[in-house]
Amino acid sequence: MSRLQPAKGKLLLKGARCVDPQAGLDVLADILITDGSIAAVDTAIDAPDAEILEVGGRVVVPGPVDLHVHLREPGQEYKETIESGTRAAAHGGWTGVGVMANTHPVVDDGAQVRSVLNKADATGLVRVYVYGALTRGLRGEQLAEMADMVAAGAVGFSDDGHGIQNPLMMRRALQYALVFDKVVLAHAEDEKLADGGVVNEGLVSTRLGLPGQPALAEELAVRRDIALARLTGARLHICHVSTAGAVAAIREAKAAGDVAVTAEATPHHLFLNEDALDVRYNTNLKMAPPLRSEADRVAVLEAFLDGTIDALASDHAPHAPQEKELEFELAQFGTVGLETALPLVLGELVAAERLSWSDFVQRVAVAPRRILGLEPVSLAAGSVADLTVFDPAAKTKVTKDWLVGKSKNSAFLGWGVRGLATEVIVGGQRVLKEGCVVV
Amino acid sequence: MAGIASKHLIRIEDLTVDEIYSVLENAATFKEINTRTIKKLPTLRGRTIINMFLEPSTRTRSSFELAEKRLSADSLNFSASSSATVKGESLLDTAETFDAMKIDMVIVRHRYGGSPWILAEAMDAHIINGGDGIHQHPTQTLLDLFTIQEAKGRIAGLTVGIVGDIYHSRVAGSLAPALKMMGARPICIAPPSYQPDVPEALGAEVSHSLDEALPDLDVVYLLRIQGERAQGLSVPSLREYATVYGMNQWRMDNLMKPDAIIMHPGPMNRGVEITPEVIADSRSLVLDQVNAGVAVRMAVMYQMLGGEGDVATAAR
């Protein structure tokens, strides 16, 4: 039996600050949910037979969707499972996650897509949207069977983990994805130019004696993929933008208006730079793309604030201690991020009045669904009841104990964050209550 | 006895300028002791030191071993592949294993930059970096500084050209910042493909031409060129490298200051970065560097472990 079911009965959210730019809303209202859908958004709704949830002025938004998550199941369940990862997602305030195909085996055919969706149905606490591989085995040599995967429910395609190095292969993949009108999510990295670098090429690589990769390794790949998207007419989404050069390329493409390109940024590229790496060689700060210079960080942040970068995505990449407590060059790439992404943006940008609540909703809920071609979720009657309640004043320190996901390799351990999800409702079902994941 | 404030010597910046001078001073005493018939001192009696060489090394390891023996420390050697996957045990587990054996000091040579920190964080022992990846090799730098000071009478104010594959050189990674700290002027002399990502991060100036830089140099410091890194991607060939950047008789006679000195951390590629005539020249101090290596390492270990009595007393 499915773990997530449209909840029967009525749930009434009382006294919510409802923020939804799609509905032009930023008002104090009540929300009545009936049988998993929003029945009414109005002041002082009276529903005597409903379960009452006193929101008390906290903020209710359409449920955030994380475009970029590695749940590691199948194959690496010691790092994360669909169950543990979706618990982490709920804890972080997300009502849905898009999961990458680089599992073992790779999700590169319909049976694998179905298998992940079945497991998500049985164990998932939030909605799971599955991306199929663009190429078989993520090897960049042969197209994967996209029709088969679309029929099984894939919502997009990506070889995330490695960019497709061969431009002809990328062209063909974009062309073929066009048949199904699915988005292609690109991990933009020219591996030849990156030359095995494990940190950004610059002051820090020299100081720490670690092989660096130039920012240009990203920019070149982004420029190539944009040109190929223009050539093919396909929908291109640039994952984890980390450099000023990539930002400029995306900005130019959007200004030209002749190519369907969107982009995401991660919290670690928004809030950390390479200077966080010091002589202690913290491997939780090793990720791909690497933490970049302060100038890059500022460029990515500005693009995120002005909407050039459409969406926030965590690039949640769980790893076990034995894969991180290693020589820096041997440690795996990645940081977990599901649980910290939204609080970081709320605390660092929304509370600081650099990003409005309305734009926050755009970046975390509206844009991700638009990019994936999902049904919009809105705070309006008739919409499916996927929504999240945030307490902007709630604070915590990011510790291994606070994280509920299976892996604790967070780049933000020790940070104080302000702005936490207290309630997550998926299809009317409460999966996070008072900040605690419903078991 | 002057101690060393930092518990570990992983980067040359772990030492202050005063501490570097005190190491050089103590090393001079140890160097004199190393000329005696009986070279052994009791200063580190009862102390346990592990030489953990996870990458092949002959001279650095021999130099440390000799230094340990001459200070009467108990030492043991541990070698293995530095790759956890090959070795089957992680560096962290190795560190914890040795920590449980109550070790006083570990000398570590490792293929990857920053790895000594894993030992430093997991062990009570003092850690000395014997060379980590393309990062640093601080005791090599101390022996280089010792050699420069002995030959030139000073370090401050000298112009030192470091010539070769600086990007991949942990020797340069420690030497350049040390020279800067000591008031000298380091210049990285190499084609851009051999330069560090950001030479200024090492406190160094940049030159692409040995011939242009050579007349200004008080010290010509040549780095080993590894054959596999000179096969077309960074430089076209060893032959062409030798032509443009190799130190030879003609450059020594026509471009080099007559009183400049020539150094090399070894092992040398005769005929590539340095010709046999240059090696044989009296201004080439390669063996003086090796000789200084034992004394400098004795001084560092002595100061970090706080051996009994001061060196001068020990020497009497």
Side-chain angles (χ1 to χ4, degrees), chain B:
Chain B
M1 182 206 69
I4 287 175
S6 174
K7 183 175 179 187
H8 310 294
L9 177 54
I10 295 174
R11 307 154 69 236
I12 194 67
E13 296 92 333
D14 291 338
L15 301 178
T16 64
V17 170
D18 286 346
E19 286 170 342
I20 290 175
Y21 277 120
S22 79
V23 168
L24 302 188
E25 198 174 308
N26 283 333
T29 309
F30 286 120
K31 192 183 168 198
E32 186 275 315
I33 293 168
N34 283 337
T35 64
R36 298 179 187 177
T37 312
I38 295 173
K39 301 175 176 65
K40 205 172 175 87
L41 299 173
T43 38
L44 294 186
R45 198 168 42 199
R47 301 304 192 93
T48 318
I49 300 176
I50 292 185
N51 300 308
M52 191 186 288
F53 280 69
L54 303 176
E55 199 184 49
S57 158
T58 312
R59 66 191 60 219
T60 301
R61 178 168 159 170
S62 314
S63 181
F64 269 110
E65 274 191 67
L66 274 177
E68 289 151 11
K69 290 184 194 321
R70 289 182 183 169
L71 291 172
S72 304
D74 295 317
S75 64
L76 77 92
N77 294 324
F78 175 85
S79 346
S81 165
S82 52
S83 161
T85 49
V86 173
K87 201 185 357 161
E89 182 179 64
S90 72
L91 185 61
L92 181 62
D93 284 337
T94 306
E96 288 179 344
T97 301
F98 280 127
D99 190 52
M101 297 179 189
K102 305 299 170 200
I103 305 298
D104 295 299
M105 178 175 271
V106 179
I107 318 299
V108 59
R109 159 69 59 96
H110 200 288
R111 186 175 163 194
Y112 298 115
S115 305
W117 257 110
I118 293 178
L119 303 184
E121 298 208 321
M123 301 182 72
D124 281 336
H126 298 266
I127 308 300
I128 293 181
N129 180 3
D132 61 332
I134 60 172
H135 180 219
Q136 290 217 10
H137 192 355
T139 60
Q140 173 72 44
T141 290
L142 292 169
L143 74 88
D144 292 335
L145 295 176
F146 182 91
T147 306
I148 293 170
Q149 171 144 293
E150 262 208 334
K152 305 294 293 182
R154 67 190 169 112
I155 296 166
L158 298 179
T159 300
V160 181
I162 304 172
V163 190
D165 184 358
I166 297 154
Y167 178 86
H168 287 105
S169 175
R170 53 188 168 219
V171 171
S174 285
L175 181 59
L179 289 167
K180 186 75 179 174
M181 283 165 70
M182 308 297 283
R185 176 185 168 216
I187 307 177
C188 292
I189 302 169
S193 53
Y194 273 167
Q195 292 283 352
D197 291 339
V198 182
E200 306 78 56
L202 302 178
E205 296 168 37
V206 172
S207 167
H208 299 155
S209 167
L210 177 60
D211 288 346
E212 277 175 25
L214 197 49
D216 289 334
L217 303 182
D218 301 299
V219 178
V220 184
Y221 196 103
L222 305 167
L223 298 171
R224 174 179 170 79
I225 296 302
Q226 301 200 350
E228 69 271 18
R229 288 180 180 143
Q231 287 177 344
L233 191 57
S234 295
V235 295
S237 63
L238 290 176
R239 192 184 74 86
E240 179 148 313
Y241 180 83
T243 308
V244 184
Y245 294 99
M247 196 63 195
N248 55 30
Q249 187 76 48
W250 187 86
R251 286 199 167 99
M252 206 162 52
D253 293 343
N254 294 287
L255 296 176
M256 194 176 90
K257 282 187 189 176
D259 64 342
I261 58 172
I262 298 157
M263 299 171 67
H264 193 298
M268 294 177 286
N269 293 304
R270 289 175 176 257
V272 181
E273 67 269 6
I274 189 166
T275 60
E277 309 86 75
V278 176
I279 296 171
D281 192 275
S282 63
R283 290 165 291 180
S284 160
L285 303 182
V286 178
L287 295 178
D288 300 69
Q289 291 173 265
V290 176
N291 181 265
V294 178
V296 160
R297 290 180 173 115
M298 288 171 80
V300 169
M301 289 190 281
Y302 172 79
Q303 287 180 241
M304 285 179 73
L305 286 176
E308 299 164 19
D310 61 45
V311 191
T313 313
R316 269 199 290 274

Side-chain angles (χ1 to χ4, degrees), chain A residues 195 200-213 279-281 322 325-330, chain B residues 11 82-84 90-92 110-115 117-118 121 132 134-135 167 196-198 201-202:
Chain A
D195 196 25
N200 187 44
E201 178 180 304
L203 274 172
V204 172
S205 63
T206 300
R207 203 182 296 140
L208 297 185
L210 293 171
Q213 58 162 281
V279 294
R280 286 171 189 265
Y281 295 82
Q322 66 270 22
E325 292 172 359
L326 289 174
E327 295 85 329
F328 196 91
E329 289 177 58
L330 296 178
Chain B
R11 307 154 69 236
S82 52
S83 161
S90 72
L91 185 61
L92 181 62
H110 200 288
R111 186 175 163 194
Y112 298 115
S115 305
W117 257 110
I118 293 178
E121 298 208 321
D132 61 332
I134 60 172
H135 180 219
Y167 178 86
D197 291 339
V198 182
L202 302 178

Side-chain angles (χ1 to χ4, degrees), chain A residues 73-425:
Chain A
E73 186 176 359
Q76 293 177 320
E77 291 83 355
Y78 65 96
K79 298 180 196 240
E80 194 82 280
T81 62
I82 291 168
E83 202 273 337
S84 70
T86 55
R87 285 173 63 87
H91 190 225
W94 306 96
T95 62
V97 292
V99 299
M100 287 296 175
N102 63 338
T103 48
H104 300 276
V106 170
V107 176
D108 62 0
D109 63 21
Q112 290 300 333
V113 171
R114 221 168 279 120
S115 164
V116 171
L117 284 172
N118 285 342
K119 196 66 188 281
D121 193 43
T123 68
L125 271 177
V126 303
R127 297 188 196 277
V128 173
Y129 306 108
V130 177
Y131 308 137
L134 281 168
T135 67
R136 287 193 191 194
L138 306 176
R139 284 188 296 272
E141 293 164 0
Q142 190 183 6
L143 290 174
E145 293 182 344
M146 293 189 205
D148 193 29
M149 290 190 273
V150 169
V155 301
F157 293 97
S158 181
D159 270 14
D160 183 65
H162 293 286
I164 292 180
Q165 299 301 306
N166 178 343
L168 177 60
M169 186 76 250
M170 188 61 176
R171 177 187 183 181
R172 296 299 184 223
L174 286 164
Q175 285 176 315
Y176 196 59
L178 197 54
V179 175
F180 314 101
D181 192 28
K182 295 298 178 195
V183 67
V184 170
L185 300 95
H187 173 116
E189 177 183 353
D190 185 318
E191 291 178 4
K192 286 277 192 244
L193 192 59
D195 196 25
V198 297
V199 293
N200 187 44
E201 178 180 304
L203 274 172
V204 172
S205 63
T206 300
R207 203 182 296 140
L208 297 185
L210 293 171
Q213 58 162 281
L216 195 58
E218 173 173 282
E219 185 189 343
L220 277 188
V222 167
R223 288 193 183 275
R224 181 200 74 170
D225 287 350
I226 287 172
L228 289 171
R230 184 177 286 121
L231 179 70
T232 58
R235 282 204 284 137
L236 174 70
H237 175 74
I238 308 291
C239 293
H240 43 53
V241 173
S242 71
T243 60
V247 165
I250 294 161
R251 208 184 287 282
E252 286 163 26
K254 287 191 165 189
D258 58 351
V259 54
V261 61
T262 55
E264 69 187 32
T266 71
H268 43 280
H269 294 116
L270 289 172
F271 303 123
L272 292 171
N273 64 32
E274 60 184 345
D275 298 330
L277 280 159
D278 61 15
V279 294
R280 286 171 189 265
Y281 295 82
N282 178 1
T283 57
N284 286 340
L285 301 177
K286 177 180 176 181
M287 55 276 283
L291 298 179
R292 303 288 189 181
S293 71
E294 176 62 8
D296 287 314
R297 185 192 74 86
V298 168
V300 172
L301 178 58
E302 281 171 359
F304 180 73
L305 294 175
D306 72 22
T308 301
I309 290 175
D310 305 77
L312 179 75
S314 72
D315 194 3
H316 180 77
H319 291 295
Q322 66 270 22
E323 296 165 324
K324 277 293 194 181
E325 292 172 359
L326 289 174
E327 295 85 329
F328 196 91
E329 289 177 58
L330 296 178
Q332 298 275 324
F333 290 95
T335 170
V336 293
L338 276 169
E339 296 171 76
T340 49
L342 295 169
L344 281 163
V345 171
L346 287 174
E348 303 292 320
L349 300 180
V350 177
E353 298 189 340
R354 300 191 67 186
L355 186 72
S356 67
W357 272 98
S358 170
D359 283 344
F360 171 78
V361 173
Q362 287 285 2
R363 301 291 182 277
V364 306
V366 180
R369 286 190 179 81
R370 174 171 48 82
I371 289 165
L372 299 184
L374 304 175
E375 195 66 32
V377 167
S378 180
L379 300 184
S383 175
V384 64
D386 286 5
L387 39 91
T388 296
V389 181
F390 287 102
D391 181 351
K395 293 180 195 177
T396 193
K397 188 173 171 182
V398 180
T399 62
K400 290 184 179 183
D401 287 342
W402 181 75
L403 296 171
V404 306
K406 209 166 199 174
S407 293
K408 312 295 180 183
N409 56 301
S410 170
F412 293 100
L413 287 176
W415 277 52
V417 290
R418 186 159 65 114
L420 301 176
T422 58
E423 307 286 328
V424 171
I425 297 167

